[in-house]
Amino acid sequence: MPSFPLQRHIRRPHPAWLFLVVGMIWLLLPDSSQADSPDSSDRVTVTDLAGREVTLPHGAKRVILGEGRLLYTLAALRPEDPFAPLVGWRDELKRFDRDVWARYRERFPHAESLVTFGKAANGEFSIEQALALEPDAIVFDLAAWPVLRDGPALSVLEAAGIPVVFVDFLTRPGQHMAPSVRLLGRLFAAEERAEALLTLRRKSLEAVADRLPDTRPRVLVETAAGLHPECCRSVGDDNLGRVVRLAGGDNIAAEQIPGVFGRLHPEWVLAENPDVIVMTGGDWQELSGAAIPMGYDASASEARRAMRSLTEARLGWPELSAVRAGRVHALWHQFYNTPYQFVAVQRLVKWLHPQAMADLEPEALWRHLHEEFLPLPAEGAVWATLEETSP
């Protein structure tokens, strides 16, 4: 994930103060023997991706999304209005996926009134603000689990009777994506749509896996290319690295980066001389004019110009095999943290193995995803290639 300047929304209170607040809340709560018991039909129990059994006594009618990009999944599960069950969410989609946010805000203007939160993994999530909203549940990305588990936040929220649920589309999507989609489908009463989305995912991946050639081109993935001046931020063996593997490629950074993301030395990249380069981009031009425009407001020609500028300006890159062969491509960065990764697999495998996958139509798959699951049309450009003639 690209590194952006952090914006602190609310100063974190001292942990002792938080426990005092919770104690006061408990004093004000009615005695459990006299309180009205919730309707059992609303009760939802799930096992989250941290392995915790969590019960929502009142269902999920008032939810805080601790990870804003969970909206990509929620939109597929509840396209009629993905914001209806939300009272708050993390702000990064509004800040860093502005093209997507603009479209959802136009379609669902009431989304503008949602309370926004900072990043829990950085300690920026406002616990007192969450308590004030009285949510039925808070859904966090699993990346926030260590910070919340080891600090006071999780115990404070649970002591206040607020269920906390963890899902994972980032760290281990191969193992965790399907359970996370099912969990959200259960929370938001959209289990049939969750299964339909997972069926489309499974069939799309099977169409690739059943006929992958034995050869595996060596691939460099550069995340957020041009957003940072230096080369190269990349991925380890999972996340977009897994996309490379499923598409029949050999991710050259897999053994160099032990976690999800890391940085490669420019000279190492030159020495490795990859066969294919895949850059990720987004709606980040206000942050850096060198970033590759990708997304609902982008065009392939704009992305192509940005890729060409980067490859021509970097020392030694014009001589790389991938650049000389025109095998430099761009993907929308948000494939990294959404259940839409199966579309990226189909697009990448057609770049890596054009003859074996000549009949694949990732463009049609992307349109189908929008027509059947999402409240937005498939506009803009979510991939591009340095050479217009590439398949």
Side-chain angles (χ1 to χ4, degrees):
M1 181 177 179
S3 299
F4 296 102
L6 295 176
Q7 177 180 337
R8 294 191 177 271
H9 299 263
I10 295 180
R11 183 171 59 86
R12 295 180 66 202
H14 191 278
W17 187 91
L18 291 173
F19 282 108
L20 178 61
V21 170
V22 173
M24 294 175 64
I25 290 174
W26 275 109
L27 290 175
L28 295 173
L29 289 175
D31 183 77
S32 59
S33 63
Q34 300 177 9
D36 293 335
S37 60
D39 186 344
S40 60
S41 64
D42 292 334
R43 182 182 298 268
V44 176
T45 299
V46 297
T47 300
D48 72 3
L49 274 293
R52 304 157 57 252
E53 184 176 281
V54 182
T55 296
L56 284 63
H58 304 282
K61 301 179 182 67
R62 295 177 55 82
V63 177
I64 297 172
L65 293 186
E67 165 67 49
R69 291 188 177 102
L70 291 177
L71 182 72
Y72 287 114
T73 306
L74 190 54
L77 299 179
R78 298 187 55 141
E80 69 283 357
D81 187 352
F83 298 97
L86 303 183
V87 293
W89 64 330
R90 187 181 152 198
D91 66 345
E92 86 280 27
L93 189 140
K94 295 177 68 172
R95 295 167 64 196
F96 305 131
D97 298 343
R98 292 168 306 159
D99 55 334
V100 176
W101 166 238
R103 281 162 172 75
Y104 277 105
R105 180 178 56 193
E106 181 179 4
R107 181 75 181 269
F108 308 104
H110 54 282
E112 187 72 71
S113 64
L114 292 178
V115 176
T116 56
F117 290 81
K119 186 175 182 178
N122 289 349
E124 297 181 313
F125 185 87
S126 171
I127 300 175
E128 65 270 29
Q129 188 169 258
L131 293 172
L133 289 174
E134 300 182 344
D136 295 323
I138 305 175
V139 183
F140 287 108
D141 190 274
L142 191 61
W145 163 244
V147 171
L148 295 174
R149 175 197 59 201
D150 298 338
L154 189 59
S155 58
V156 168
L157 292 169
E158 291 181 337
I162 298 176
V164 176
V165 178
F166 292 92
V167 296
D168 182 29
F169 293 88
L170 175 65
T171 60
R172 298 175 61 191
Q175 295 80 14
H176 292 171
M177 186 173 292
S180 294
V181 171
R182 289 192 174 99
L183 188 156
L184 292 175
R186 173 84 174 120
L187 286 187
F188 293 107
E191 291 169 284
E192 289 188 9
R193 288 191 66 83
E195 289 303 323
L197 178 61
L198 292 174
T199 297
L200 177 63
R201 173 180 180 263
R202 175 179 54 80
K203 291 182 178 179
S204 300
L205 293 178
E206 287 175 351
V208 171
D210 291 345
R211 53 203 175 106
L212 274 178
D214 293 332
T215 58
R216 301 184 75 87
R218 301 174 68 254
V219 180
L220 166 69
V221 175
E222 182 182 2
T223 59
L227 188 59
H228 307 280
E230 72 280 355
C231 164
C232 290
R233 283 167 168 75
S234 192
V235 289
D237 195 44
D238 219 317
N239 200 273
L240 291 177
R242 177 177 176 272
V243 170
V244 172
R245 187 167 66 253
L246 292 177
D250 176 14
N251 172 24
I252 66 171
E255 295 183 1
Q256 300 293 315
I257 299 176
V260 179
F261 300 109
R263 184 182 171 191
L264 304 173
H265 196 282
E267 293 184 1
W268 183 87
V269 172
L270 295 177
E272 288 296 306
N273 194 21
D275 302 313
V276 178
I277 296 172
V278 178
M279 301 172 167
T280 70
D283 186 14
W284 304 325
Q285 280 57 59
E286 289 190 6
L287 298 171
S288 171
I292 297 173
M294 285 267 98
Y296 288 79
D297 284 338
S299 70
S301 60
E302 293 172 333
R304 190 174 297 115
R305 284 195 294 270
M307 283 189 284
R308 185 164 290 114
S309 294
L310 280 176
T311 56
E312 290 176 352
R314 288 175 170 172
L315 182 65
W317 273 53
E319 301 306 316
L320 289 175
S321 297
V323 177
R324 292 171 64 88
R327 302 189 76 183
V328 180
H329 312 287
L331 280 174
W332 186 44
H333 185 76
Q334 306 316 327
F335 283 123
Y336 90 107
N337 198 17
T338 72
Y340 313 160
Q341 274 187 11
F342 61 91
V343 183
V345 172
Q346 284 214 357
R347 177 59 275 184
L348 182 56
V349 76
K350 194 159 184 176
W351 282 330
L352 299 184
H353 304 287
Q355 293 183 337
M357 304 292 169
D359 62 324
L360 277 187
E361 296 182 351
E363 294 84 359
L365 179 59
W366 182 240
R367 290 194 301 271
H368 176 75
L369 175 66
H370 283 73
E371 292 166 358
E372 294 298 319
F373 290 93
L374 300 176
L376 302 179
E379 299 175 314
V382 291
W383 50 68
T385 185
L386 192 62
E387 300 297 331
E388 293 184 69
T389 56
S390 294

